[in-house]
Amino acid sequence: QVTAELTSIEPSLTYNADAAPANNNQIYVSASGSTVTLGSKSASGTCFYIKDVATGATPGTFYAKGTCTAPSATTVSGANW
């Protein structure tokens, strides 16, 4: 459902269900409650993540990079790269 909604917003990107990013130029999505986490694998093999938390004790937007794991299993807590 979330991938279809994102595709309607930005159809030039390919969205995939929550999994370890395996293909360059594709976005992997995890959504739970008020939190959405996106992950993507770069051409160099590094994965980059962004997490948006809309409500709760620690709302905000957070970033991470590192080993490719599913967005739902990645600790995304940094405020910068």
Side-chain angles (χ1 to χ4, degrees):
Q1 176 67 17
V2 172
T3 57
E5 291 172 6
L6 290 170
T7 299
S8 72
I9 295 167
E10 182 51 68
S12 68
L13 298 173
T14 300
Y15 297 95
N16 300 290
D18 188 33
N23 300 307
N24 300 346
N25 303 319
Q26 295 191 20
I27 309 299
Y28 293 79
V29 181
S30 170
S32 177
S34 65
T35 301
V36 175
T37 307
L38 306 175
S40 186
K41 183 177 180 181
S42 70
S44 70
T46 299
C47 282
F48 293 86
Y49 299 90
I50 186 167
K51 176 172 77 173
D52 186 69
V53 181
T55 62
T58 57
T61 302
F62 306 93
Y63 312 91
K65 70 176 181 177
T67 305
C68 297
T69 59
S72 63
T74 301
T75 301
V76 184
S77 59
N80 57 44
W81 301 116

